């Protein structure tokens, strides 16, 4: 069924009893041309673009739990393209353009809202850096608008302008940035991929690989052996473990990042706001909750929950920036396992095992990358060549020295 | 999370600075060649479960500590002074 205003109207008249499940629940076939491990946004997007763009429809997405239950459901849903290094800029720019056409392409409302993303500057030097970043974004074909302190005050009167430590000097507005509904992105890709013949197999955990003469031939799963022409891995925080099953290591540490949401409030925050000093960013969901997050807890973790010191730090940063949120009650918090690379940028590449491809290292920026990541990963798996928007996100850059280290912090994943 | 420092006893994790895996102890010899150093600087085992970390007790005794920890549960299994571990390794 194609979704439309007419369908909503028609089903509304008949008690909404006619809606059907929009993807199948197939048993795994003995063999697929391509097996994707991980049914989050990245995996489902990869399967969709393999089928849609490259005509490869004999594809399975294996998910050990339920689709979208990992990091796709554990983030702050921010979409942006405001990077500074060639390689990252081209990739995120590509991804943002795909976001802009996504709902029409998938015929699914992912509630993509380009409400704008404001990054604040708290010193002359920082405002100059924002001007540079905005200029580079414009040169890369994206957008940037420098706001003075007065403009900030006019647009965002609720911020604390005269904090003695972090006064606000100006901001960079990224108009095309915003948020999207995380589950809808998963469901939209799942539905569209399923309609093109992709098998989405949930509760199917990959437990090992069958590798013959250095060549991937299939995966051992909790639901039996599945042969595969090619295998792609999109498992975020679990990348290190899946790679270990294939016999190699990655330049990745898995660390926990927490996020928080308040009770639902009336609309008070029209944009996404990022504090330029403490690591803090906040937006308001369409349901009304203030969604915000901060920095990594800073140690290796697979626990999907963080500790109280970071929660306190995030609350302090929020209060320094936006004192009005002190009245709101924090409703829930969650932790995602972030695949933190040694330079803070992702990896989309072949691997030491032939016919096995890796898509990992998204750090805490995986959500906004979903369409771009699926698109370029499908391109790599289908054609054997890197997409031009992602030809620098290589695994061997740690050996060649062509690192993509936006923050210049070196090989310390908890500082990126 | 509280970390039992061998010198200072149970302390709040906020007093500590995290450096990463204790694999960093095993620095290759100077003539080991580039591939060995690429592995050493960038690549990690990254296990879910038992992991040995390096923490600096920054606002305490300023000792480097090897913490054996379960990364899946945050349970701390044992701690030792890094200096003792390094001496033991020789």
């Amino acid at each position: 069924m194609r979704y439309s205003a007419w369908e909503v109207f028609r089903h509304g008249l008949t008690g909404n009893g006619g809606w059907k499940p929009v993807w199948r629940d197939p048993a795994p076939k003995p063999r697929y041309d391509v097996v994707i491990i991980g049914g989050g946004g990245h995996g489902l997007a990869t399967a969709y673009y393999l089928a849609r763009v490259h005509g490869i429809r004999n594809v399975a997405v294996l998910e050990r739990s339920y689709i979208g239950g990992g990091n796709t459901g554990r983030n702050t849903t921010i979409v942006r393209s405001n990077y500074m290094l060639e390689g990252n800029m081209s990739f995120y720019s590509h991804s943002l353009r795909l976001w802009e056409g996504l709902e029409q392409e998938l015929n699914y409302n992912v509630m993509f809202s380009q409400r704008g993303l404001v990054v604040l500057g708290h010193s002359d030097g920082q405002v100059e850096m924002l001007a540079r970043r905005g200029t580079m974004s414009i040169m890369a074909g994206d957008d940037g608008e420098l706001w003075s302190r007065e403009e900030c005050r006019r647009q965002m009167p609720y911020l604390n302008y005269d904090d003695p430590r972090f006064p606000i000097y100006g901001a960079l507005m990224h108009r095309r940035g915003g948020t999207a509904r995380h589950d809808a992105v998963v469901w939209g890709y799942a539905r569209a991929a399923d309609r093109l013949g992709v098998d989405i197999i949930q509760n199917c955990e990959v437990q090992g690989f069958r590798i013959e003469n250095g060549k991937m031939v299939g995966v051992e799963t909790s639901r039996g052996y599945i042969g595969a022409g090619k295998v792609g891995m999109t498992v975020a925080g679990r990348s290190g473990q899946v790679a270990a099953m294939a016999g190699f290591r990655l330049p990745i540490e898995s660390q926990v990042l927490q996020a928080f949401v308040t009770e639902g409030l009336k609309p008070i925050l029209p944009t996404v706001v990022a504090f330029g000093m403490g690591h803090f960013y906040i937006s308001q969901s369409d349901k009304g909750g203030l969604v915000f997050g901060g920095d990594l807890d800073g140690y290796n973790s697979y626990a999907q929950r963080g500790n109280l010191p970071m929660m306190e730090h995030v609350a302090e940063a929020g209060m320094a920036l936006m004192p009005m949120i002190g009245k709101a009650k924090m409703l829930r918090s969650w932790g995602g396992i972030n695949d933190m690379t040694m330079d803070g940028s992702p990896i989309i590449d072949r691997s030491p095992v032939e016919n096995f491809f890796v898509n990992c290292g998204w750090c805490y920026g995986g959500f906004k990358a979903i369409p771009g990541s699926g698109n370029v990963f499908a391109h790599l798996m289908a054609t054997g060549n890197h997409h031009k928007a992602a030809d620098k996100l290589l695994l061997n850059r740690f050996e060649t020295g062509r690192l993509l280290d936006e923050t210049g912090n070196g090989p310390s994943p908890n500082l990126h | 999370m509280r970390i039992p420092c061998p010198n200072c006893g149970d302390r709040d994790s906020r007093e500590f600075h995290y450096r990463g895996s204790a694999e960093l102890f095993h620095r290759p010899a100077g003539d080991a060649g580039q591939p060995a150093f690429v592995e050493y600087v960038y690549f990690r085992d990254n296990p879910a479960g038992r992991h040995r970390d390096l923490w600096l007790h920054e606002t305490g005794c300023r000792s480097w500590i090897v913490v054996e920890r379960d990364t899946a549960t945050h349970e701390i299994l044992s701690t030792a002074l890094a200096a003792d571990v390094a001496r033991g390794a020789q």
Side-chain angles (χ1 to χ4, degrees):
Chain A
M1 178 197 307
R2 192 177 160 77
Y3 290 144
S4 64
W6 163 245
E7 288 294 336
V8 173
F9 179 69
R10 191 170 71 83
H11 282 88
L13 287 180
T14 54
N16 278 315
W19 301 107
K20 296 277 186 299
V22 293
W23 59 82
R24 297 162 295 131
D25 184 20
K29 289 193 264 183
R31 191 179 185 285
Y32 291 91
D33 292 341
V34 176
V35 165
I36 304 291
I37 306 168
H42 290 249
L44 292 164
T46 304
Y48 167 74
Y49 290 111
L50 278 170
R52 177 84 181 75
V53 179
H54 305 283
I56 300 172
R57 296 183 174 202
N58 186 20
V59 175
V61 178
L62 310 183
E63 166 56 47
R64 80 167 182 172
S65 176
Y66 60 94
I67 57 170
N71 284 3
T72 316
R74 291 173 168 270
N75 57 77
T76 50
T77 74
I78 295 169
V79 176
R80 62 187 169 92
S81 169
N82 54 356
Y83 284 74
M84 296 243 290
L85 293 179
E86 185 43 48
N88 279 338
M89 279 198 299
S90 55
F91 172 76
Y92 287 105
S93 191
H94 178 62
S95 192
L96 183 55
R97 279 195 297 275
L98 289 171
W99 273 108
E100 288 173 332
L102 193 60
E103 294 175 328
Q104 284 68 31
E105 175 161 1
L106 300 181
N107 176 230
Y108 204 90
N109 180 9
V110 302
M111 297 167 76
F112 181 47
S113 158
Q114 291 181 294
R115 57 185 65 184
L117 181 144
V118 182
V119 181
L120 298 167
H122 306 274
S123 66
D124 286 331
Q126 206 176 12
V127 171
E128 279 172 21
M129 278 304 293
L130 291 178
R132 175 172 173 239
R133 198 205 276 203
T135 308
M136 290 184 74
S137 287
I138 291 166
M139 286 166 65
D142 291 325
D143 65 290
E145 211 174 277
L146 197 64
W147 282 3
S148 66
R149 177 179 160 90
E150 291 66 39
E151 180 69 8
C152 291
R153 209 189 264 280
R154 206 169 65 75
Q155 302 276 0
M156 304 174 290
Y158 41 79
L159 299 181
N160 181 4
Y161 284 85
D162 299 310
D163 184 274
R165 282 176 76 198
F166 309 124
I168 294 168
Y169 275 52
L172 181 65
M173 171 54 146
H174 173 33
R175 291 256 178 221
R176 288 163 65 226
T179 62
R181 169 91 172 97
H182 52 94
D183 288 328
V185 176
V186 172
W187 299 334
Y189 272 119
R191 170 173 170 266
D194 181 272
R195 283 154 70 106
L196 293 170
V198 171
D199 280 0
I200 298 167
I201 302 165
Q202 305 184 72
N203 298 312
C204 181
E205 182 180 351
V206 172
Q207 295 167 332
F209 291 115
R210 203 172 284 181
I211 298 167
E212 288 170 7
N213 303 321
K215 203 167 172 178
M216 181 67 72
V217 294
V219 295
E220 305 283 356
T221 78
S222 55
R223 295 175 68 172
Y225 173 76
I226 302 173
K230 291 174 183 171
V231 176
M233 165 183 105
T234 54
V235 296
R238 295 282 176 175
S239 297
Q241 291 174 286
V242 175
M245 287 194 276
F248 60 93
R249 303 204 298 171
L250 292 168
I252 286 178
E253 285 182 4
S254 293
Q255 303 207 358
V256 61
L257 178 69
Q258 303 187 66
F260 312 89
V261 65
T262 69
E263 64 203 307
L265 304 167
K266 288 191 174 181
I268 48 170
L269 195 60
T271 60
V272 183
V273 179
F275 193 13
M277 290 308 289
H279 211 131
F280 177 82
Y281 37 89
I282 186 166
S283 65
Q284 187 167 20
S285 78
D286 290 341
K287 208 160 69 179
L290 297 173
V291 183
F292 55 97
D295 224 335
L296 296 166
D297 268 39
Y299 44 83
N300 289 37
S301 170
Y302 285 88
Q304 289 195 320
R305 62 182 164 74
N307 272 299
L308 291 172
M310 187 48 69
M311 190 184 282
E312 186 179 25
H313 173 81
V314 170
E316 280 172 1
M319 286 301 291
L321 176 69
M322 207 178 282
M324 71 172 178
I325 67 171
K327 298 271 185 188
K329 290 179 184 64
M330 222 186 254
L331 200 63
R332 289 186 293 121
S333 72
W334 58 91
I337 309 172
N338 291 191
D339 34 340
M340 299 300 301
T341 52
M342 287 288 175
D343 64 355
S345 295
I347 298 163
I348 299 179
D349 205 352
R350 301 176 193 92
S351 80
V353 178
E354 204 182 327
N355 290 338
F356 183 50
F357 299 81
V358 293
N359 178 335
C360 57
W362 292 99
C363 300
Y364 34 74
F367 182 74
K368 61 179 173 287
I370 287 172
S373 159
N375 187 267
V376 302
F377 196 41
H379 183 94
L380 174 65
M381 292 187 75
T383 67
N385 298 316
H386 290 280
H387 191 285
K388 65 178 177 353
D391 58 0
K392 295 191 172 55
L393 309 179
L394 307 179
L395 183 55
N396 74 359
R397 67 178 186 263
F398 300 90
E399 198 180 310
T400 59
R402 297 178 191 279
L403 299 176
L404 294 167
D405 189 342
E406 293 271 346
T407 55
N409 275 322
S412 294
N414 58 348
L415 299 180
H416 288 296
Chain B
M1 188 158 73
R2 291 168 78 77
I3 298 174
C5 169
N7 291 327
C8 316
D10 255 2
R11 307 297 299 180
D12 191 322
S13 65
R14 265 177 283 208
E15 296 183 6
F16 295 80
H17 166 80
Y18 182 79
R19 180 63 189 92
S21 167
E23 289 171 47
L24 289 167
F25 269 127
H26 305 292
R27 180 158 58 196
D31 58 359
Q34 196 203 358
F37 273 93
V38 170
E39 278 288 316
Y40 171 73
V41 173
Y42 295 113
F43 286 76
R44 297 288 178 266
D45 286 340
N46 196 24
R50 206 168 268 255
H51 185 244
R52 290 168 79 234
D53 313 322
L54 276 172
W55 299 71
L56 172 65
H57 194 187
E58 197 165 23
T59 61
C61 61
R62 300 194 62 79
S63 300
W64 281 98
I65 297 167
V66 176
V67 178
E68 196 183 5
R69 206 169 47 91
D70 188 326
T71 57
T73 62
H74 295 166
E75 185 191 358
I76 290 171
L77 305 165
S78 70
T79 57
L81 288 175
D84 292 346
V85 174
R87 265 194 290 275
Q90 275 170 9

